[in-house]
């Protein structure tokens, strides 16, 4: 029997998106990406490896996963990476909980695999550096490579075939920009129909514009790093918003086209543009789902949130400060 470990890991929202794998097995991206860690949105995961188990026992948000489910297979595959590294054959009991909707474009896979990487590696007797944890988490879900760290985080694509140079680093920590806020606006809690992995693969294969994406993302990254360094909020917002829309434009030009927006998503976009026309510095970004993350400053939060809650179809608007990184905690889930 191994010791039980519990980790908490944050969700993150990409301001420069990762879209496209150059190696689907190792989760190596075509482009580097950049995110901000979301305070308050997190996954908590407890892991223990036990001789008495004949297969992994996985429970997610209160329901036990059957070994036929896609999620189960993904997590088992990830646990195999840990077992291989720890030279162990023991199966694991994993209990995991998110404090936000799962699989609907709120980055649950990022926080989920970051928490599993940390708790799982420790439970298997491994003590990995943050860099190693980022490399491990990446192989569960690309964006999880960024959820190891708090603050502003860059995931460098790397160039090696083995992926050992494809990991994240913290650019600025969570105290760097105290006025910075993200409002996570939920318009649907349903699990999305097309996963980001499927969406990426399809976009690469069929969008005539994908070939322009890696260069464009690299240029956007350069500008946003400067904007963060100089605390130029409007520049940061503009680049993040354009980058997200560019990614969605790629999806729209894939065959079959991939459209994640719901009517409420469009209403939110229009409202943000309206507020901007009135002089407010407010921007948005959208991942592979219908939810919108609003990028704004603390002084405008109240007005923006009230406007959002007035929009038909908006279910929730959660205000997040910049959060800290993944960490071990002592409150176990079993
Ligand atoms: O890590 P995945 O497979 O969930 O892909 C994430 C893709 C986006 O959320 C759309 C962009 C990103 O960089 O997080």
């Amino acid at each position: 029997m191994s010791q039980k470990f519990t980790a908490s890991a944050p969700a993150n929202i990409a301001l420069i998106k990762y879209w496209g794998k150059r190696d689907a097995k190792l989760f190596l991206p075509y482009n580097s990406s950049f995110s901000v860690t979301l305070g308050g949105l997190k996954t908590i995961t407890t892991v223990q490896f036990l001789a008495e188990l004949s297969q992994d026992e996985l429970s997610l948000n209160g329901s036990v996963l059957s070994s036929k489910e896609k999620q189960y297979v993904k997590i088992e595959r990830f646990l195999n990476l840990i077992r291989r590294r720890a030279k162990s054959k023991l199966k694991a009991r994993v209990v995991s909980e998110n404090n936000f909707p799962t699989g609907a474009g709120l980055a649950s896979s990022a926080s989920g695999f970051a928490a599993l990487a940390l708790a799982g590696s420790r439970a298997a007797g491994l003590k990995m550096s943050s860099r190693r944890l980022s490399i491990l988490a990446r192989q569960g879900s690309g964006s999880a490579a960024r959820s190891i760290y708090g603050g502003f985080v860059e995931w460098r694509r790397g160039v090696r075939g083995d992926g050992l140079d494809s990991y994240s680093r913290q650019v600025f920590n969570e105290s760097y920009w105290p006025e910075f806020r993200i409002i996570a606006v939920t318009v649907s809690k349903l699990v999305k129909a097309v996963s980001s992995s499927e969406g990426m693969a399809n976009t690469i294969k069929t969008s005539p514009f994908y070939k322009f994406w890696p260069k464009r993302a690299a240029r956007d990254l350069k500008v946003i790093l400067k904007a963060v360094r100089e605390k130029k909020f409007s520049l940061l917002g503009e680049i993040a918003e354009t980058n997200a829309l560019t990614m969605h434009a790629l999806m729209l030009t894939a065959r079959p086209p991939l459209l994640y927006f719901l009517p409420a998503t469009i209403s939110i976009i229009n409202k943000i543009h309206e507020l901007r026309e009135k002089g407010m510095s407010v921007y948005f970004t959208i991942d592979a789902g219908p939810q919108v993350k609003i990028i704004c400053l603390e002084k405008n939060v109240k007005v923006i949130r009230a406007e959002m809650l007035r929009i038909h179809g908006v279910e929730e608007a959660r205000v997040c400060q910049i959060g800290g990184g993944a960490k071990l905690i002592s409150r176990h889930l079993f």
Side-chain angles (χ1 to χ4, degrees):
M1 193 175 77
S2 79
Q3 218 183 318
K4 196 184 289 181
F5 278 90
T6 301
S8 156
N12 73 74
I13 178 72
L15 301 176
I16 303 299
K17 306 297 184 189
Y18 143 57
W19 196 253
K21 295 178 178 65
R22 66 176 200 274
D23 182 323
K25 229 176 124 201
L26 287 174
F27 292 68
L28 298 176
Y30 274 114
N31 66 287
S32 300
S33 55
F34 182 74
S35 62
V36 59
T37 305
L38 298 177
L41 299 185
K42 59 188 176 202
T43 300
I44 293 178
T45 301
T46 302
V47 183
Q48 188 171 28
F49 288 92
L50 295 159
E52 73 209 44
L53 297 176
S54 56
Q55 63 169 21
D56 292 320
E57 199 185 279
L58 314 174
S59 157
L60 221 59
N61 294 319
S63 51
V64 175
L65 296 180
S66 111
S67 57
K68 288 187 192 74
E69 282 178 73
K70 240 186 185 170
Q71 279 283 7
Y72 184 101
V73 177
K74 265 181 97 171
I75 296 169
E76 185 188 38
R77 190 190 139 271
F78 190 78
L79 289 167
N80 287 340
L81 297 176
I82 295 175
R83 278 188 278 260
R84 199 171 314 143
R85 207 181 158 90
K87 297 190 173 57
S88 161
K89 286 202 160 54
L90 295 184
K91 303 293 181 189
R93 176 169 295 144
V94 177
V95 176
S96 185
E97 276 169 18
N98 295 332
N99 67 351
F100 58 92
T102 301
L106 266 184
S108 57
S109 62
S111 54
F113 280 105
L116 188 58
L118 179 55
S121 59
R122 289 302 294 267
L126 300 167
K127 259 199 167 165
M128 297 168 87
S129 65
S130 295
R131 178 182 294 188
R132 282 281 173 183
L133 280 172
S134 176
I135 290 172
L136 174 62
R138 188 199 76 217
Q139 293 169 77
S141 167
S143 54
R146 298 187 307 247
S147 271
I148 297 296
Y149 297 99
F152 290 95
V153 181
E154 180 189 3
W155 169 20
R156 293 217 175 129
R157 52 156 274 156
V159 292
R160 289 168 63 135
D162 61 8
L164 289 178
D165 60 350
S166 186
Y167 51 82
S168 297
R169 68 168 185 117
Q170 184 179 65
V171 179
F172 288 107
N173 74 17
E174 53 273 29
S175 337
Y176 173 71
W177 204 331
E179 307 83 17
F180 199 99
R181 293 289 181 280
I182 297 283
I183 309 178
V185 186
T186 314
V187 301
S188 163
K189 289 188 179 137
L190 299 177
V191 174
K192 61 194 173 200
V194 182
S195 72
S196 17
S197 281
E198 290 162 339
M200 284 178 201
N202 185 36
T203 314
I204 293 172
K205 224 172 32 199
T206 64
S207 168
F209 304 110
Y210 188 79
K211 59 175 181 284
F212 301 112
W213 168 254
K215 244 196 203 146
R216 170 65 186 268
R219 202 186 64 198
D220 288 350
L221 177 60
K222 239 190 198 162
V223 181
I224 213 162
L225 281 168
K226 183 170 154 41
V228 176
R229 216 179 304 123
E230 294 172 5
K231 290 199 178 166
K232 288 193 170 145
F233 183 78
S234 299
L235 179 61
L236 176 146
E238 264 168 43
I239 295 289
E241 190 173 303
T242 312
N243 183 269
L245 288 173
T246 306
M247 177 185 75
H248 283 276
L250 297 176
M251 300 180 195
L252 287 172
T253 52
R255 302 267 175 107
L258 192 52
L259 173 61
Y260 283 111
F261 296 178
L262 289 174
T265 314
I266 310 274
S267 306
I268 296 168
I269 294 176
N270 286 335
K271 179 53 75 181
I272 291 171
H273 287 164
E274 195 185 303
L275 289 170
R276 215 148 72 211
E277 264 157 37
K278 287 184 187 154
M280 191 186 283
S281 199
V282 53
Y283 302 86
F284 68 84
T285 183
I286 303 173
D287 277 345
Q291 332 298 354
V292 182
K293 303 330 177 282
I294 298 177
I295 306 161
C296 61
L297 294 169
E298 202 264 325
K299 62 180 181 196
N300 296 320
V301 158
K302 237 179 148 172
V303 172
I304 298 167
R305 188 164 182 276
E307 288 286 1
M308 291 304 130
L309 293 174
R310 261 201 283 277
I311 293 173
H312 180 74
V314 166
E315 293 183 3
E316 210 183 314
R318 199 164 163 163
V319 182
C320 302
Q321 303 196 19
I322 302 181
K327 57 176 195 265
L328 290 171
I329 59 173
S330 52
R331 190 178 63 82
H332 302 303
L333 295 180
F334 64 85

